[in-house]
Amino acid sequence: GTNPSGDLNIATGNGNAANVRIRLLNANGSRIVVGAPEPLQNSQSTALSEGAATLVYAAQYVATGQATAGAATASVQYTIAYQ
C-alpha cells in the first residue's frame, strides 16, 4: 500500500523491518510519487526502439523513525499508457 508521502508501506509482522518505507525512483533518480494523480506522479516516459522499451526504476529505503532490522517487502501496481 501507499501513504500520503507517495512511498510504499512495507509488510508488517514478525521478521519484518519497522519504521521503513520504500521510495520508487525513475532511472534519473527523481522520485515517483505513488498514488498521486497522474500529472503529479513524476513518471517519466520512455522512447520505443523497434517496438520495444526498457523501463528502468530504482528503489530506496526511507526511515520514518528508528528503523529495526528485518525484511522490507512491498508491491505496487502500475498502468502503462501507450501513445
Side-chain angles (χ1 to χ4, degrees):
T2 61
N3 55 69
S5 71
D7 297 328
L8 301 173
N9 294 322
I10 63 168
T12 60
N14 192 29
N16 291 306
N19 296 319
V20 174
R21 292 183 183 144
I22 297 175
R23 178 168 293 162
L24 296 182
L25 308 171
N26 289 298
N28 67 1
S30 63
R31 179 180 181 185
I32 299 171
V33 184
V34 177
E38 186 176 348
L40 303 176
Q41 291 176 0
N42 192 36
S43 297
Q44 296 186 333
S45 62
T46 301
L48 291 175
S49 176
E50 298 182 22
T54 300
L55 305 176
V56 179
Y57 301 103
Q60 65 184 181
Y61 296 115
V62 178
T64 60
Q66 182 64 43
T68 61
T73 57
S75 63
V76 64
Q77 291 183 316
Y78 62 95
T79 302
I80 297 175
Y82 177 78
Q83 298 179 8

